[in-house]
Every structure is written in C-alpha cells, then in structure tokens.
Amino acid sequence: MEILVTALQEAWRLIISRDPVLFEIIGLTLRVTGSALLFAVVLGLPIGVFLGLRSKESKLGCLAPIINTGMGLPPVVAGLLVFILLSNQGVLGDLQWLFTPRAMIVAQTIIAWPLVIGLSLTAIRSVDDQLAVQLTSLGATRWQLALTLVREARLGIMAAVIAAFGRIIAEVGAVILVGGNIAGETRVLTTAIVLETRKGNFGLALALGLILLILALLANIVLHRLQHEGRHA
Amino acid sequence: MSAQYVLSDLTKTYAERSVLNIADLSIQSGEILALVGPSGAGKSTLLRLLNFLEFADDGQLIFDQQVVTPDLPLAQRRRVTMVFQSPALLKRSVLGNLKYGLQLRGETASKAELLAHLDQVGLADLAQQPATKLSAGEAQRLALARALVVKPDVLLLDEPTANLDPYNVGLIEDILQKNNAARGTTVVLITHNVFQAQRIAQRTGLLVNGKLVEIAPTALFFEAPVEQATRDFVAGKLVY
C-alpha cells in the first residue's frame, strides 16, 4: 500500500513539475501509438469491410482462422519479424529504420492491423443480412451499400479502433525489440516502466504505469464519446 | 395497358431444385396483381426476379420492353422498389430512413414534402424518432413510405401485412390503392390473405410448386376458377 501511495505522489510530482523527460516520453508514446493506430485503421478497415460484405455472400474459407490468429499475434513475434526485416541484412535494411520510432510504428501497426480487420469484419457481418437486400432493392449500388453498412456498423467499428488502441498502447515486447528503449529517441512509457523496474525504482515505474493508465483512460473516453455520438447520429 | 413485365419460360433453380418455372406471364402496367399460393410455391423468388435482385437460370424476363440481364442499367433497376415481410430499417430517424432512397438517387425533397409522405402513412409525428423504436406496424408503414417516396413505376410487396393488426392492414391497403390510382404504379402483391387479394387486386394468380396454375381477374379467380387446384385453394384446402 505504501508503495502505491509513493507512486501516486511521484506521478503527481512528475506531472505538475512538467518533467521534460516524462513529457518527451508521453509525446513519443502518443505519436507512435497514434500513428500505428492510424495506419492500422487506414490499411485494415477497407479490408475488414470488404471481407465483411463478402462473408454475407460466401464463406471466407481459410481467411477467417488466419485473421483470428493474427488478432492474437504475440507482440514479441511481430517485433522479431520487423527486426529481421529492418536489420542490416534484412530485406528493408537499407531504410535504416531499426531503433527508430518508425520501426516501432511498423511493429505496432502489424499488431493492430489484424485486430482492426477482424473486428470491423465482425461488425459488418453483424448487420442484419436483410438490410443489405432491402437497401439494394431501394436502388443502392454496391458502393453505396458498402458505405451505408459501414455507417450502420459504426459502433462495432469504433469498438475495433478502441480495442486496437488498447492493445498497442500497452504493448512492450515489440517496441523494446525494434526501438531499443534509447533515451530521448525511442523510449516510450512501457519501455520506461521496464527499465525503471529493472533498476529497482518501483515507485517511479508504478508512477509511469499510472500515467500510462490515465492516458489510456483519456483516449478511451474520447473514443467512447465518438462512439456515443455515433449511436445517436 | 402495356406490359410492364413479360415472362417467358422463366426458370430458377437452387441447389438443383427447381423453385420457379413460369411458362408465360404478362404483368400489365398500372395494375394491381396479387399472387397467392402455399408456402414454398416460389412467390418470393418471383418477386426477387422482378426486383432484379436475382436473375433467371433460363428463359426470358422483359421489363418495359427491355430484356433483363445482370447488366440492366441502374436507372431501370431503380424504377422498381420492394416492401418485404419484415422491414429492415436503418439506425437513423424515421425521416432519415424515408430520405435514404432519394439520397441514393442524388435527389432532394423539401421537409414539407417528406412530412407529407410520412403523414400519408400516419408517421409525421414520429419524424425525428429513431426508426428502431417503431412498432411492427409503424415500421412496415415506414418501409412502404420509403419505397414510395422515390416514385417507383413498380412496387413489389412480399406479404407486407402478414404480421400486422387490422388497423395497419387497412391503412396499408388504402395507401396502395390510392397510390395506384394517383400515379398508376404497377403493384405486385404476394399475400396469404385471400380476402386481401379480393379487396385490392384487379387480377389474382395462383402459384404452386413454382408454376403459375391460373391467373384471372380477381372476381373470376375467386368465383369461377377454372383449375381444380385454384378451386381447392379458394375453398381453403391444402394445395401441393
């Protein structure tokens, strides 16, 4: 209990003192997670919608288990793949992205991508099949139908975004592998927590953990508000 | 009256089971045609073909002198709308659902016009309500208004009053008849309710096992049926 109180005091001190190192870490955390989420949504949502629409007409075959497996992809495996690809001997080694925030964004995108595909696919599939038939009967083209079904499934799609955000902001295995936890370069909240824990600074580690939780809470409040507005749109 | 649809040797098969086999049928422009028959007779399949949601395996379907193929132009497709037995509405307001068909076509209507459409089906007071909160009768009336607001040349109805109380049944029948009289909309109605067919249809046809057994002016169909199957059906006996 005492360590928790100390951690709370430390977290509060770090925040009100506007500790520049802390704010740099928070900034990088949000930048990496936000970018990865954006890429995962841009790359994953169209695929999820397409597959969701297709699944209303025919079975997805082996795609469904592949996507489900991807949704449970261990972050450290994703990190390892990105590490191999971006290492000097790797296919993308010339990019020199290893141990930079870009590598961390790539790794987190790979982690979030199947989650966005799988959950948006489920959201589209859960829309009443009869609705698609009846909207077609009203004169909707395939494109108009797809857009309408996305709007109908917006709550489920927002849930996909929230789930993907939750997964990658708390992720440590991949970012520490491809980012290296370099101070001022690639240190994010999760990797900083690992470092401080290893150093025995449990109070500081816990304080960073609380800040991470607060950030996640704030982001989820924003996303839930958007979801709530979507419900009444 | 010219022919809105002409069906010749039209067949449809699902999983090697023939569900529709219509040798010859003309549906006249501006008429109200009721199709009756036992469950599984192919009535809904026929409506889906008339709505271009599916296409025949063999034979010919002509819509307004144009042979129907999967490449039928969108403008032609949009001349036909359908009301289903269970309406599926959008998670929008009643007004939002009503406007949907117009939005698809890039058309607009004034709020007063839209409210007039809702008033016709007794829903003007609920214009801003979420459509998901409507009762079954209200939802079906909204589905009917949604199908009519785009001013279709053909309105297809698949047992639209099957689950409704007499008040809603009467209201929907009244709207159908008024619209048919005012705009000359061709109406093809599937119903299990022979009294409904008698009340509103100018012609009635009996479908059994995917085949059109008999079609005649409604009075003749019920009072002097030619085919034994029709006599049995009108008498309330099971027909297979």
Side-chain angles (χ1 to χ4, degrees), chain A residues 4-23:
Chain A
L4 196 63
V5 174
T6 311
L8 276 170
Q9 288 170 339
E10 181 68 12
W12 182 245
R13 188 193 63 75
L14 285 170
I15 291 167
I16 59 162
S17 68
R18 298 191 180 181
D19 184 281
V21 176
L22 173 73
F23 276 81

Side-chain angles (χ1 to χ4, degrees), chain A residues 128 130-131 133-141 144-145 148 151-152 154 233, chain B residues 48 51 53 74 77-78 80 82 84 86-88 90-92 100 104-105 146:
Chain A
D128 183 2
Q130 265 300 307
L131 185 66
V133 175
Q134 296 192 18
L135 298 183
T136 305
S137 163
L138 275 174
T141 61
Q144 287 172 324
L145 181 66
T148 306
R151 189 175 160 177
E152 285 297 297
R154 59 193 180 274
Chain B
R48 291 172 68 86
N51 198 191
L53 294 171
L74 185 62
R77 265 182 50 201
R78 285 180 168 171
V80 183
M82 181 147 121
F84 297 74
S86 302
L90 297 161
K91 290 177 195 161
R92 300 182 189 180
Y100 182 75
L104 293 178
R105 290 159 175 77
R146 173 176 78 170

Side-chain angles (χ1 to χ4, degrees), chain A residues 43-164:
Chain A
L43 297 172
L45 189 56
I47 297 173
V49 170
F50 172 76
L51 293 177
L53 291 173
R54 219 187 110 189
S55 71
K56 286 181 176 291
E57 295 165 2
S58 58
K59 289 184 178 171
L60 292 176
C62 61
L63 269 176
I66 290 173
I67 293 166
N68 288 339
T69 305
M71 286 168 71
L73 180 70
V76 74
V77 174
L80 182 62
L81 287 172
V82 175
F83 189 95
I84 292 168
L85 282 173
L86 295 179
S87 64
N88 281 337
Q89 288 78 34
V91 180
L92 302 173
D94 289 346
L95 293 172
Q96 295 290 308
W97 280 7
L98 201 58
F99 305 125
T100 68
R102 287 180 178 182
M104 296 155 77
I105 292 169
V106 171
Q108 289 203 339
T109 303
I110 290 172
I111 294 164
W113 188 49
L115 211 61
V116 173
I117 293 176
L119 295 181
S120 55
L121 185 161
T122 306
I124 293 286
R125 193 154 52 183
S126 66
V127 175
D128 183 2
D129 287 346
Q130 265 300 307
L131 185 66
V133 175
Q134 296 192 18
L135 298 183
T136 305
S137 163
L138 275 174
T141 61
R142 287 186 75 82
W143 182 240
Q144 287 172 324
L145 181 66
L147 288 178
T148 306
L149 293 185
V150 167
R151 189 175 160 177
E152 285 297 297
R154 59 193 180 274
L155 297 183
I157 289 171
M158 276 308 293
V161 175
I162 291 169

